[in-house]
Amino acid sequence: EAGVTQFPSHSVIEKGQTVTLRCDPISGHDNLYWYRRVMGKEIKFLLHFVKESKQDESGMPNNRFLAERTGGTYSTLKVQPAELEDSGVYFCASSQTGNSPLHFGNGTRLTVT
Amino acid sequence: AQSVAQPEDQVNVAEGNPLTVKCTYSVSGNPYLFWYVQYPNRGLQFLLKYITGDNLVKGSYGFEAEFNKSQTSFHLKKPSALVSDSALYFCAAPRGGYNKLIFGAGTRLAVHP
C-alpha cells in the first residue's frame, strides 16, 4: 500500500507570505493528524481529523494556521502569514482507527526567512 | 502534567554490541508507551508499544523495550546493534487521546562499524 505522502518536501518562504502544505493519508484511513517539530524542540501535536471533521485542534498554535480536510481524503495546512518561528518540520500521520498505530509521512521542512 | 523524557541526546555503540536508548515517563493512570524511529529524510516509523501485560515488549527490527513501573522507565533495547540501526529514536505517550502523542526530545543512535 502507498504510504502517507506529503507535499512539498521542502518550502522556503519569506516572512509574511502564505504557504500551504498537503498531506495524502493512506487510503481508507479515517484518522489524520498533523504534528510539527520546531528546530531543536519536541515533536508536538497540532490537530486530529476524523474523516472531514476536526476532532481535536487544541495544538494549533494560533489563528495563522488553518487546516482543512474537505471530503475526508487529503488534508491541507495553511500558514498565513508565516512568521520566523513557524520554521520546522511538519509531519502528517494517519491511522485506520483512533487506536491503531500512526503511519507518518516524510514531513515538509518549512523555512521562513 | 504528563511527560516523557529521553535523557541522552546521543548514544554511540559499536556494531554487534547491545544497545539501550533510555526513556522515562510521568503519566497518570496506566501508561501507554510507544517507541518510534526516524531514519534520515524519512517520517517516523512505529517500532513497538506497551499497553498492558508482559513488561518486555518485542517490536520491529529486533528491538524490544522493558516497561519498569517502579523506575517509571521504558528503555529501548537490542541485543546486537547494526550500523543500519543508526537513526533518531523517539519515546512517546498519549495525552488526551491514543494517537495524540507527547514525544520525548529524541535520541540519536550512532552505530559504528
Side-chain angles (χ1 to χ4, degrees):
Chain A
E1 68 180 2
V4 177
T5 56
Q6 293 187 245
F7 182 83
S9 56
H10 293 83
S11 180
V12 181
I13 61 171
E14 293 183 351
K15 176 182 173 181
Q17 289 185 322
T18 297
V19 63
T20 300
L21 314 180
R22 173 170 168 145
C23 169
D24 286 75
I26 292 173
S27 178
H29 282 196
D30 288 341
N31 293 270
L32 187 149
Y33 305 78
W34 285 97
Y35 283 82
R36 76 171 179 177
R37 188 181 193 201
V38 173
M39 196 60 65
K41 297 191 176 180
E42 290 86 356
I43 300 170
K44 291 198 172 178
F45 168 85
L46 296 179
L47 87 160
H48 171 207
F49 283 99
V50 177
K51 297 185 180 179
E52 68 275 7
S53 299
K54 290 177 185 174
Q55 188 77 10
D56 183 342
E57 53 183 331
S58 60
M60 295 288 264
N62 52 61
N63 59 11
R64 295 186 293 103
F65 289 75
L66 175 65
E68 294 180 320
R69 194 184 181 195
T70 307
T73 55
Y74 70 91
S75 174
T76 58
L77 180 64
K78 182 192 289 188
V79 186
Q80 179 183 28
E83 298 289 344
L84 298 178
E85 63 264 25
D86 300 332
S87 296
V89 181
Y90 290 77
F91 292 105
C92 175
S94 70
S95 64
Q96 191 164 27
T97 71
N99 293 334
S100 50
L102 289 173
H103 297 259
F104 281 83
N106 290 347
T108 294
R109 181 174 295 279
L110 175 64
T111 302
V112 183
T113 62
Chain B
Q2 306 208 132
S3 65
V4 292
Q6 295 178 244
E8 302 158 316
D9 290 338
Q10 178 147 342
V11 170
N12 296 297
V13 65
E15 187 176 29
N17 283 1
L19 69 87
T20 298
V21 182
K22 295 179 180 178
C23 173
T24 59
Y25 66 89
S26 173
V27 300
S28 57
N30 294 321
Y32 290 4
L33 297 162
F34 301 83
W35 276 102
Y36 282 84
V37 59
Q38 184 183 17
Y39 296 102
N41 300 314
R42 303 295 300 276
L44 282 75
Q45 294 180 32
F46 170 78
L47 270 181
L48 51 81
K49 65 181 178 184
Y50 172 81
I51 301 296
T52 187
D54 196 345
N55 289 343
L56 187 63
V57 179
K58 294 192 182 298
S60 306
Y61 311 122
F63 283 93
E64 57 190 26
E66 186 171 10
F67 173 71
N68 187 317
K69 189 172 183 178
S70 62
Q71 296 185 5
T72 62
S73 67
F74 188 56
H75 300 335
L76 182 70
K77 300 181 179 184
K78 188 173 182 180
S80 179
L82 299 172
V83 172
S84 57
D85 293 329
S86 299
L88 196 53
Y89 290 80
F90 293 95
C91 181
R95 180 171 61 189
Y98 184 87
N99 278 327
K100 184 181 178 181
L101 299 175
I102 51 171
F103 285 87
T107 298
R108 187 164 300 280
L109 173 67
V111 181
H112 305 284

